[in-house]
Amino acid sequence: MTTSGSSDSPETLDSRIKSALEGIEDPVFAVDPVTSRIVRDIETRGNAVALTLAKPTPSYPSQELESRIRAALQASGTTDVSIRELLDVPEAQALLSKNRIPGVKNVVAVSSGKGGVGK
C-alpha cells in the first residue's frame, strides 16, 4: 500500500483499509479480494483510496465486487474511492509449455454432430 499526504496517520489509514478489504468476500473465490489478488496496487492520498481491480476472466462479476469494495471503504471513513479495472487472464503455462504432438503447432477438432457412428 502506498500512502502520501495523509491527514490520518499512514498506519491507521492503511490498517483501516486492509481491515475493510479483508471483510469483503470475493463473489467467485470466497476469500477476500486482496488474498485472491483481484485487488492490487492500493494507494492512499488523504482519505482517498485508489486501487486496481484485476478481473481474471471477462465474465467475472466485477460490478458486484466493486460495489462491495466501495461500501466497505466508505464505511471505514474513506471519502473518495477510485477503482481502475483491468483484465488479467492467467495463462495456462502447463498447457502452453508442452508440445504434445511433435512438429504440430495447432490442432483443430472437427465434428459433424450427426451421431450414428458404427451402425
Side-chain angles (χ1 to χ4, degrees), residues 24-33 36 38 53-66 68:
I24 300 170
E25 184 175 286
D26 183 294
V28 175
F29 300 110
V31 294
D32 70 86
S36 65
I38 301 295
L53 187 64
K55 296 173 22 171
T57 66
S59 62
Y60 181 82
S62 57
Q63 289 178 337
E64 182 180 342
L65 181 60
E66 185 175 328
R68 291 180 186 184

Side-chain angles (χ1 to χ4, degrees), residues 1 3 6 8-15 44:
M1 241 183 264
T3 306
S6 171
D8 218 347
S9 72
E11 296 81 26
T12 304
L13 182 60
D14 288 351
S15 64
T44 59

Side-chain angles (χ1 to χ4, degrees), residues 74-96:
Q74 289 171 349
S76 72
T78 303
T79 56
D80 183 26
V81 179
S82 173
I83 299 176
R84 180 179 153 247
E85 253 186 56
L86 66 91
L87 183 60
D88 186 19
V89 179
E91 293 181 11
Q93 291 297 329
L95 295 175
L96 295 175

Side-chain angles (χ1 to χ4, degrees), residues 11-51:
E11 296 81 26
T12 304
L13 182 60
D14 288 351
S15 64
R16 275 197 340 239
I17 291 167
K18 184 178 181 207
S19 178
L21 292 174
E22 287 174 345
I24 300 170
E25 184 175 286
D26 183 294
V28 175
F29 300 110
V31 294
D32 70 86
V34 177
T35 300
S36 65
R37 298 266 309 131
I38 301 295
V39 170
R40 305 178 187 170
D41 307 326
I42 303 167
E43 296 181 12
T44 59
R45 178 165 291 142
N47 273 340
V49 176
L51 56 87

